[in-house]
Amino acid sequence: MHDRTATPKPLVGALPELKGYGRDLRIDACRGIVLWCIFLDHVPNNIGSWLTLRNYGFSDAAEVFMFVSGVTCALAYGKARWCGGWTGVIGRTLWRSWDIYVAFLLLTLACAIMAHLAGGGHLADESNTRILLEQPGVTLAHAAILQYRPVNTDILPLFVLYHLLFAPLLWLLLRAPNATLGASLLLYALVHVFGWTIPAWPNNNWFFNPLAWQLPFVLGAWWIIEGKRFRPWVTSRTALVAAVLYLVFSLIIALSWSIKPLEALVPQALLTLLYPMDKSNLDPLRLLHFLALAVLVVWFVPRNWRGLTTAVMRGAILCGQNSLPIYCLGVLLTFASHLALLDISEGLTMQIALSVGGVLVMIVAATLLNLIKIKPRQQPHAKPADLPVEQPTKFELVINLKTAKALGVDIPPTLLARADEVDRIKMLFAPVRESGFGADPAAPVIAHVFGPPAKNVGQDVN
């Protein structure tokens, strides 16, 4: 005879993805690969950039990074709402925005220091740090309000803004997901019609216009909440054929920039129609190219893809799990690689060495970051009354008549009438496998027959 406790009642409008177990390692692997691509693309005249997306289509790593960031925000802040309500979501968004803001300011100072140590000159001009070296006071003031950004740091101010605004965005997505996505599309369209942007300094130009690049970010969050309804269409053969045709078309156009025989095959009128392709405002052709890539990923990279267990993918996963510090490290490695190409050699061997060495440094740094992470543990003198506890919302009485008979225990009929289950043998506890969200593999949880496991409040705060 057992008493068992049911799990707490989930909050209304919980994210559907939170009902599963474990972490989708494809997200971390994708972020890690994108971080490598950003580094390789930003090193000028680098042979390693031929391993990235930008030479084989209209879009590049930026669209992927923005979409995946929307996905991870929906998952992370959805868990915060599950555990702590909207107060928890707002607290988490403010804290994460502050983290990114501080990282941006420190990275700005680090770029200025590296440019100064390199003697300024051409490197200071190309990194947009000359004005910081010549007018440090006014430049830092504009950097503090996100109006000034050295080269390659542009994406961080966007994430400061998007994380700050994610709580109301999540509220809207949970209540009217399609209307919210429609509003995002409308804003994107108005940017292209009227040229809207946010003030910047010194030239009033954002390399990534926040009003346009919000679309892939919102799209990623929308996919987590509403994507299952549209998944049959995305996984249809019609979508696959359309995606492949568009990718082949964009591949021919992109390669024609570098391969002369292909350039002769592409009509000049078509090139005039397609270009210039505006990256700052996220040209629609770039957005469509990314969506076509996303269809292929959904088709050919399942959640349990074996490739995720390879050494390369494990390195990418480590980098993806530490995306903010690895991104900042990548910016500094880009700076150092550019300096090496200018002062030492621009030869092919140096380009390969810098590309491979930079990626390896990022993997090693991510590995060290994972090793030094320490989970918060219960304080030795903490009072039991101060520990977070979730109250049960339902009790069930299970009676095993076979065991009772073996023990010689007579069960009164009135008690049998009150039992929820009789003569069903179930395991109350089962070990849980380690999940990517940081769950303790040794901690027991209620088995699947009892529904989803209860949340560990302290773990989710971590």
Side-chain angles (χ1 to χ4, degrees):
M1 180 166 55
H2 305 285
D3 284 329
R4 79 177 183 215
T5 306
T7 55
K9 187 182 296 184
L11 297 174
V12 176
L15 299 184
E17 293 293 331
L18 297 180
K19 298 177 183 178
Y21 296 94
R23 179 171 185 148
D24 192 342
L25 294 180
R26 293 176 301 176
I27 297 174
D28 294 321
C30 187
R31 282 199 298 183
I33 293 172
V34 166
L35 289 170
W36 296 349
C37 292
I38 291 173
F39 161 69
L40 295 174
D41 284 338
H42 287 172
V43 178
N45 303 319
N46 179 27
I47 190 67
S49 65
W50 281 95
L51 299 174
T52 69
L53 288 174
R54 74 172 185 180
N55 293 300
Y56 305 100
F58 298 147
S59 66
D60 57 24
E63 286 86 353
V64 181
F65 197 47
M66 199 65 67
F67 176 83
V68 173
S69 297
V71 169
T72 54
C73 281
L75 291 172
Y77 296 135
K79 287 189 69 177
R81 178 178 179 270
W82 177 284
C83 300
W86 288 109
T87 302
V89 174
I90 294 172
R92 289 283 295 274
T93 55
L94 291 176
W95 185 257
R96 187 57 175 170
S97 297
W98 174 253
D99 280 346
I100 300 172
Y101 178 73
V102 171
F104 165 68
L105 293 181
L106 292 177
L107 185 60
T108 299
L109 292 175
C111 290
I113 292 171
M114 292 184 71
H116 175 72
L117 294 177
H122 180 67
L123 193 60
D125 292 329
E126 292 202 0
S127 62
N128 194 30
T129 54
R130 178 174 294 281
I131 191 170
L132 178 56
L133 296 175
E134 294 177 351
Q135 305 175 41
V138 64
T139 305
L140 288 176
H142 282 283
I145 58 175
L146 307 179
Q147 289 189 335
Y148 164 77
R149 301 160 304 281
V151 169
N152 301 332
T153 66
D154 306 76
I155 207 166
L156 293 180
L158 263 69
F159 285 134
V160 173
L161 298 175
Y162 293 163
H163 280 264
L164 276 175
L165 298 173
F166 197 82
L169 174 63
L170 182 61
W171 187 88
L172 290 171
L173 284 170
L174 289 174
R175 282 153 180 79
N178 295 328
T180 304
L181 180 61
S184 176
L185 281 166
L186 178 61
L187 177 59
Y188 171 78
L190 292 175
V191 167
H192 283 271
V193 173
F194 298 106
W196 292 350
T197 188
I198 295 177
W201 186 87
N203 54 10
N204 202 36
N205 179 51
W206 284 73
F207 189 73
F208 296 101
N209 184 352
L211 301 181
W213 281 85
Q214 50 79 27
L215 179 56
F217 184 83
V218 174
L219 187 62
W222 171 87
W223 177 257
I224 291 297
I225 295 169
E226 193 71 3
K228 284 188 177 181
R229 291 181 54 188
F230 295 86
R231 189 177 182 87
W233 185 88
V234 174
T235 55
S236 67
R237 292 190 178 275
T238 302
L240 178 62
V241 171
V244 170
L245 290 177
Y246 187 76
L247 290 174
V248 171
F249 167 73
S250 63
L251 175 65
I252 295 172
I253 299 298
L255 290 179
S256 69
W257 306 336
S258 306
I259 302 175
K260 293 298 181 182
L262 280 178
E263 183 180 6
L265 297 177
V266 179
Q268 189 63 35
L270 179 60
L271 293 177
T272 303
L273 179 65
L274 296 178
Y275 295 101
M277 199 171 295
D278 187 9
K279 182 174 183 177
S280 295
N281 290 323
L282 185 58
D283 193 280
L285 293 176
R286 295 178 62 97
L287 180 62
L288 288 174
H289 185 263
F290 161 73
L291 294 176
L293 288 173
V295 170
L296 257 65
V297 171
V298 171
W299 261 83
F300 299 110
V301 186
R303 185 177 183 133
N304 59 347
W305 182 48
R306 291 184 178 181
L308 295 172
T309 61
T310 62
V312 174
M313 288 296 103
R314 288 200 300 268
I317 289 169
L318 287 172
C319 291
Q321 291 173 346
N322 300 276
S323 57
L324 179 57
I326 297 303
Y327 176 84
C328 295
L329 175 62
V331 173
L332 298 179
L333 288 173
T334 299
F335 210 106
S337 299
H338 191 183
L339 185 61
L341 290 173
L342 290 176
D343 293 349
I344 301 176
S345 171
E346 294 184 352
L348 181 62
T349 303
M350 176 61 75
Q351 295 176 35
I352 295 174
L354 291 174
S355 298
V356 174
V359 171
L360 289 177
V361 169
M362 295 166 80
I363 294 174
V364 171
T367 304
L368 293 176
L369 287 171
N370 270 19
L371 290 176
I372 64 176
K373 282 180 179 177
I374 301 175
K375 293 183 180 180
R377 301 182 182 275
Q378 177 182 336
Q379 297 297 325
H381 302 295
K383 298 179 180 179
D386 296 333
L387 299 178
V389 176
E390 290 191 77
Q391 297 296 327
T393 60
K394 181 180 179 183
F395 295 92
E396 293 184 5
L397 175 62
V398 180
I399 300 175
N400 190 325
L401 289 180
K402 183 177 180 180
T403 303
K405 183 178 180 181
L407 295 175
V409 177
D410 293 328
I411 307 298
T414 54
L415 187 59
L416 287 174
R418 295 176 56 191
D420 295 287
E421 296 183 27
V422 179
D423 277 337
R424 296 187 62 184
I425 303 174
K426 296 182 178 180
M427 291 183 61
L428 289 181
F429 295 95
V432 126
R433 294 183 179 179
E434 183 176 3
S435 79
F437 283 111
D440 187 348
V445 295
I446 303 296
H448 177 67
V449 295
F450 295 88
K455 297 291 178 179
N456 181 317
V457 177
Q459 178 187 60
D460 285 327
V461 171
N462 179 39

